[in-house]
Amino acid sequence: MLTIGVDLAAEAVRTAVAWLDWSAPGRARLVGVAAGADDGLIVEAVTGADKAGIDCPLGWPDKFVDFVTAHRAGHVEVPEGVAGRTWRRDLAWRVTDQVVYARTGLTPLSVSADRIAHATMRCAAVLAELARRGRPVDRRGDGAVVEVYPAACLKGWGLPHRGYKRAANLSELGRLVDRLLEAAPWLDLGEYDPICRASDDATDAVVSALAARASALGLVTVPEPGQAGAAGTEGWIALPTTPLDRLVAAG
């Protein structure tokens, strides 16, 4: 099995792709990392992998889309007896975002009210190209692509999940890589170890590839029946449900 992770930003300069090879029993080897990944590279990487984990919302909240459509037509209606933050919650956060918060205490960035929307616009173009190439994406996580959230993965695995971003925190990033390798001694970063310690984008891409492996093995959260409809349009963040070691033991 080959899984990839994509730490998707609005522009290529902050986007990284990582390739993990699981062919050796009980081992996972990092066989490639690409920084500054453009759309073409991402599409090629996804089409060449068994499973891809993308760290980016795959869609917008359904209620937000309905709200914008109603606003354009001049027919916005505020629910009676509900105001302020409570009313706006379902416009700002998808069903999956609210599930992630309930399970982990972490709040994903709002794709309708935060700058991450720029990355999702780019992601929409990537998903459209995949569909044109015969790889349509099921936003619930079935098929070639699954939406992932590295911070929640790291927290679930008992690893540092905050404070390692940006150049000012390289020492914390290095500690995260050390902790990850201690928790997963079967993970071989090989020649790409230095770039993981120098780039949080690269490290997030590796974590995304690990989450893609968990999804491929069925070791992640999936939408409940009442959530499946929204997940199909909004996207669904697949949270690993087992310790890291299961990623090799289950294979």
Side-chain angles (χ1 to χ4, degrees):
M1 180 184 290
L2 179 70
T3 65
I4 70 160
V6 182
D7 181 45
L8 188 68
E11 302 296 336
V13 67
R14 288 304 311 272
T15 299
V17 179
W19 288 258
L20 279 180
D21 181 0
W22 302 85
S23 58
R27 302 287 295 174
R29 185 166 62 95
L30 186 60
V31 295
V33 173
D38 61 19
D39 292 6
L41 189 153
I42 294 168
V43 170
E44 291 299 325
V46 172
T47 56
D50 295 290
K51 191 79 175 186
I54 298 184
D55 175 18
C56 178
L58 300 186
W60 281 264
D62 286 346
K63 291 185 179 180
F64 172 73
V65 175
D66 293 342
F67 172 79
V68 171
T69 301
H71 174 62
R72 181 177 181 177
H75 300 304
V76 167
E77 295 184 5
V78 178
E80 292 186 12
V82 181
R85 183 179 303 175
T86 301
W87 170 61
R88 297 192 303 269
R89 182 186 60 194
D90 291 342
L91 304 180
W93 285 282
R94 303 171 295 164
V95 169
T96 188
D97 299 327
Q98 297 179 52
V99 170
V100 166
Y101 176 75
R103 292 181 66 100
T104 71
L106 299 178
T107 303
L109 293 175
S110 168
V111 67
S112 55
D114 211 310
R115 292 176 63 184
I116 198 171
H118 291 276
T120 299
M121 293 174 192
R122 182 185 180 197
C123 186
V126 170
L127 299 186
E129 181 59 27
L130 286 168
R132 281 191 287 270
R133 297 195 184 195
R135 298 294 296 270
V137 170
D138 183 335
R139 298 180 204 175
R140 293 168 296 186
D142 293 333
V145 171
V146 64
E147 183 180 339
V148 298
Y149 183 13
C153 294
L154 292 170
K155 184 176 183 180
W157 290 328
L159 298 171
H161 63 283
R162 288 177 173 155
Y164 66 91
K165 302 281 191 176
R166 305 296 181 258
N169 297 310
L170 284 182
S171 60
E172 292 302 318
L173 177 60
R175 278 191 278 273
L176 168 58
V177 174
D178 287 339
R179 289 283 306 278
L180 175 61
L181 294 176
E182 290 170 4
W186 41 264
L187 176 61
D188 179 10
L189 300 182
E191 64 185 281
Y192 303 102
D193 184 283
I195 190 173
C196 291
R197 296 176 184 276
S199 167
D200 58 86
D201 300 325
T203 296
D204 277 352
V206 171
V207 175
S208 297
L210 291 169
R213 167 72 169 184
S215 178
L217 296 174
L219 304 176
V220 293
T221 56
V222 296
E224 296 179 358
Q227 300 164 339
T233 52
E234 298 180 346
W236 179 263
I237 297 170
L239 300 175
T241 56
T242 60
L244 268 169
D245 284 348
R246 285 280 290 158
L247 301 188
V248 287

